[in-house]
Amino acid sequence: MALQASPFPNGFVTGIHAVGWAFILPCFWSLDRLLAVCKSTTWERAQRVEQECYLHPLKVFFGSILFFILFLVTAPLALLGLLLWAPVQACRRPFYYHRVTPFSPEKETHKGFELAGKASFGFAAANLCLLPDGVARFNNLGHTQRRASAIGRRIVQDQNSSQHGQAGQQSAPRALHGLRHQDDVPWEVSSLFPANVDILCLEEVFDKRAAKKLTEALRPVFGHILYDIGVYACYPPCRCSSFKFFNSGLFVASRFPILEAQYHCFPNSSGEDALAAKGLLSAKVLIGRNQKQKKVVGYFNSTHLHAPEGDGEIRCEQLSMIIKWISDFQAANKEPDEEVIFDVLCGDFNFDNCSPDDTLEQNHSLFECYTDPCRAGPGKEKPWAIGTLLEQPTLYEDDINTPEKLQRTLESEELRKQYVSPPVPAKGCPLVYPENSQPWIGRRIDYILYRENSISKHCRTEIEEVTFITHLAGLTDHIPVGLRLNIIMDSDGDHE
């Protein structure tokens, strides 16, 4: 069944939702601005010092009064809007689907794959912290709408359209110039996004306007986009104990047509995380045809796990759900006459492979199913791996405030210690890190994993490169990651 653009079943329900949200928006905006005027980022504070601005206290005082009055005035209208908006969420499908229609269907599939029997596929993942502006400032990131537009522009400008051709017409893999080889894995720290990213998985795109700005920016390169992914209001329906104020924050963009997609909401979130509909999105994409004209497809999955430290049991339960949900999705959507050539899982897992506090998650069976290219074993990283979570108070410091400076900092072990978040010690135990002769890596919580036992038996996977990307310096508190896989198909192999 083809994916529908709107998450609502008909125009009438869409209209009720639009009216309800129009009533809620002024109150929501006033509250957001109230938070934003009271909370400054370190960059804004530094700017005021340099400019000798003494009017800021007056701006905070009068701005707080103004936005609080607006909040009170618009609250009754918001309550009415909530009575219209909340009930229709029960019949809402869990995402919008944006598709750019090509001049011909062949433009979207992998040209030449059916002749060569091999191809290269690029994946990238990033946590963007695109929360409402007032909330994002608690992560030392402001101006959500501007950041969304800037992020989209930077990603698109790094995609080499002339080499990739029209959407989906893939050329030969790019040369591995400048890559370092270690443990048979080519890797690099890059100030640019890798060329020819085929599937982009983003997290914390919670703000709806920011999601639309991202969609508009990315659509020239990615013809298929799922956004506003998740559920709202009472979930499950009629259970008011779990009211979802925010969606999942997941956002996925693909060069290839999305044949099927399914979303699951984690039922076990707690605390502030329970306000958002965090979960898993699974999708099946059409790659093209092989030498025998069989349909060639790929699977990708995107997630964002429970955040608070010390809640390893909750995250382990979510990892177990992910394994089951992915297996169920693939079993339900498998067709007998098709070839599966990749199965990728990516996202912000909110645990790392070096913190003693994350031992439960590090030993989860998920890592027996999926391969983590940066992992040597439970609790042990490969020596070239780099942490992906930055220390929020330092985001605008001179060593990391541009892509080139952040690249140089990440390549220096001594500088990494100052700007990448350190491991979390186990409760009641002193932290000894790193161990003797081991490098200082820091918290790597953003992952791209791949699985081989679920793809066609005569396909072989090779890692072409792993990338730590610094092009979003100053725009998010995470380091985006990239993975490029080479898929070689044995034309003489036995077909499933």
Side-chain angles (χ1 to χ4, degrees):
M1 183 177 69
L3 299 181
Q4 302 298 314
S6 172
F8 296 103
N10 54 58
F12 177 72
V13 177
T14 301
I16 294 177
H17 172 267
V19 172
W21 182 248
F23 287 173
I24 294 172
L25 186 58
C27 182
F28 179 85
W29 180 84
S30 300
L31 180 59
D32 184 44
R33 298 319 304 162
L34 176 61
L35 291 173
V37 78
C38 296
K39 183 70 174 176
S40 299
T41 65
T42 56
W43 181 84
E44 290 168 334
R45 291 198 291 269
Q47 291 294 106
R48 289 197 296 270
V49 170
E50 291 177 5
Q51 297 169 6
E52 298 184 353
C53 180
Y54 304 109
L55 298 179
H56 181 68
L58 293 176
K59 177 183 174 182
V60 172
F61 178 76
F62 289 107
S64 299
I65 294 174
L66 173 63
F67 290 123
F68 184 67
I69 292 172
L70 286 175
F71 171 73
L72 293 178
V73 169
T74 56
L77 189 65
L79 180 60
L80 175 61
L82 189 65
L83 296 176
L84 293 173
W85 174 86
V88 300
Q89 304 308 314
C91 62
R92 179 187 184 272
R93 288 188 292 268
F95 47 75
Y96 282 85
Y97 176 41
H98 176 86
R99 178 184 179 183
V100 177
T101 304
F103 293 111
S104 65
E106 292 77 14
K107 299 287 185 183
E108 294 187 312
T109 53
H110 206 300
K111 206 69 174 174
F113 181 77
E114 70 279 7
L115 300 176
K118 62 180 179 179
S120 174
F121 297 95
F123 306 88
N127 182 315
L128 303 183
C129 196
L130 291 176
L131 290 148
D133 191 42
V135 182
R137 288 168 177 271
F138 288 90
N139 287 359
N140 201 20
L141 289 161
H143 308 289
T144 293
Q145 307 308 317
R146 274 189 268 171
R147 284 194 297 117
S149 298
I151 288 168
R153 287 195 303 269
R154 291 192 187 185
I155 293 174
V156 167
Q157 75 185 32
D158 290 346
Q159 301 310 298
N160 190 333
S161 299
S162 62
Q163 183 180 5
H164 198 283
Q166 297 295 327
Q169 293 187 20
Q170 192 117 353
S171 59
R174 72 175 191 174
L176 301 183
H177 176 69
L179 295 185
R180 308 169 201 180
H181 293 252
Q182 197 166 343
D183 297 319
D184 297 323
V185 178
W187 66 279
E188 69 173 333
V189 181
S190 173
S191 61
L192 301 175
F193 266 79
N196 300 345
V197 171
D198 295 295
I199 295 174
L200 179 67
C201 298
L202 306 174
E203 302 88 49
E204 290 199 9
V205 187
F206 287 113
D207 188 274
K208 294 181 180 182
R209 289 187 298 153
K212 290 181 179 179
K213 289 180 183 295
L214 263 183
T215 299
E216 287 302 310
L218 296 175
R219 59 182 292 182
V221 172
F222 300 96
H224 303 267
I225 297 174
L226 299 177
Y227 67 97
D228 197 4
I229 299 169
V231 293
Y232 292 97
C234 298
Y235 184 82
C238 303
R239 288 184 58 181
C240 297
S241 60
S242 181
F243 195 94
K244 303 298 183 185
F245 288 94
F246 296 102
N247 59 31
S248 69
L250 300 177
F251 180 109
V252 297
S254 170
R255 294 186 191 262
F256 301 113
I258 300 175
L259 300 176
E260 303 287 346
Q262 186 176 46
Y263 161 82
H264 288 278
C265 182
F266 293 132
N268 66 336
S269 297
S270 65
E272 66 273 20
D273 259 32
L275 300 176
K278 288 186 175 180
L280 172 78
L281 180 85
S282 298
K284 177 182 178 180
V285 295
L286 175 64
I287 307 302
R289 301 274 175 177
N290 66 7
Q291 294 170 335
K292 296 192 175 182
Q293 292 304 301
K294 282 191 175 184
K295 185 190 295 184
V296 177
V297 301
Y299 290 106
F300 70 89
N301 309 275
S302 181
T303 191
H304 188 187
L305 300 186
H306 185 72
E309 295 174 1
D311 287 345
E313 291 184 359
I314 293 178
R315 281 186 288 273
C316 281
E317 290 174 2
Q318 293 177 346
L319 290 173
S320 297
M321 293 176 203
I322 286 173
I323 294 174
K324 181 182 185 301
W325 289 339
I326 291 175
S327 297
D328 291 347
F329 175 77
Q330 294 183 6
N333 292 286
K334 183 178 181 181
E335 296 181 11
D337 195 34
E338 68 181 11
E339 306 287 351
V340 180
I341 61 171
F342 62 73
D343 179 358
V344 169
L345 169 62
C346 58
D348 180 351
F349 286 13
N350 272 314
F351 67 86
D352 59 59
N353 197 35
C354 64
S355 292
D357 190 55
D358 293 336
T359 301
L360 278 176
E361 301 96 304
Q362 294 161 7
N363 288 275
H364 195 274
S365 60
L366 176 87
F367 295 102
E368 298 172 9
C369 303
Y370 282 88
T371 299
D372 179 358
C374 302
R375 169 184 163 111
K380 185 177 181 181
E381 298 279 64
K382 292 184 177 177
W384 50 265
I386 291 174
T388 62
L389 182 62
L390 295 172
E391 291 281 78
Q392 291 170 352
T394 69
L395 291 180
Y396 308 104
E397 293 193 8
D398 192 56
D399 283 334
I400 63 170
N401 62 6
T402 70
E404 294 75 20
K405 291 178 180 178
L406 180 55
Q407 179 187 27
R408 289 193 293 269
T409 293
L410 293 182
E411 290 176 333
S412 165
E413 184 176 336
E414 288 303 312
L415 286 175
R416 279 207 303 269
K417 296 177 183 179
Q418 301 177 40
Y419 300 104
V420 176
S421 293
V424 181
K427 189 174 181 180
C429 297
L431 177 66
V432 178
Y433 182 82
E435 297 180 0
N436 291 335
S437 74
Q438 295 297 311
W440 200 99
I441 291 170
R443 301 199 69 195
R444 181 177 62 89
I445 66 174
D446 300 272
Y447 294 76
I448 304 181
L449 316 178
Y450 68 96
R451 178 164 63 166
E452 289 196 272
N453 62 10
S454 59
I455 66 176
S456 297
K457 292 181 180 178
H458 57 280
C459 285
R460 179 164 48 90
T461 304
E462 295 177 347
I463 298 175
E464 183 178 326
E465 64 177 284
V466 173
T467 313
F468 300 93
I469 305 160
T470 66
H471 202 181
L472 301 187
L475 298 175
T476 180
D477 55 348
H478 286 242
I479 303 297
V481 292
L483 175 67
R484 179 162 288 278
L485 297 177
N486 288 329
I487 309 296
I488 297 96
M489 297 186 69
D490 178 9
S491 60
D492 297 326
D494 294 330
H495 287 204
E496 297 173 305

